[in-house]
Amino acid sequence: PREIPLTEKRFAGIADPMVYFHDGLYKYTSGKFATFKEAVQHQSKMRKLGYDDAFVVDFVNDQRVKIEESMQK
């Protein structure tokens, strides 16, 4: 529930880390992708690096949206 600075060593080696607040928690992202397939590939890479709870999220105009909604467009 507290924000962790992106300069902390746990984020070292992660390309373009970013933070956003969602459902009462700070959440951290890495990378921006043009396709869902690219995002899933990156998720797999992050899990191999030890981020076992890595997941894919979608943003439209800097707002998090449900992936199902954006895939229907």
Side-chain angles (χ1 to χ4, degrees), residues 39 48 53:
K48 287 178 184 174
D53 57 352

Side-chain angles (χ1 to χ4, degrees), residues 18-49:
M18 295 170 280
V19 61
Y20 68 98
F21 192 75
H22 182 256
D23 289 342
L25 296 172
Y26 289 94
K27 299 182 180 182
Y28 300 85
T29 64
S30 170
K32 294 182 180 182
F33 307 95
T35 67
F36 183 73
K37 181 179 178 180
E38 291 172 330
V40 170
Q41 289 171 340
H42 185 70
Q43 174 190 26
S44 178
K45 176 183 170 186
M46 296 306 296
R47 287 184 175 176
K48 287 178 184 174
L49 290 173

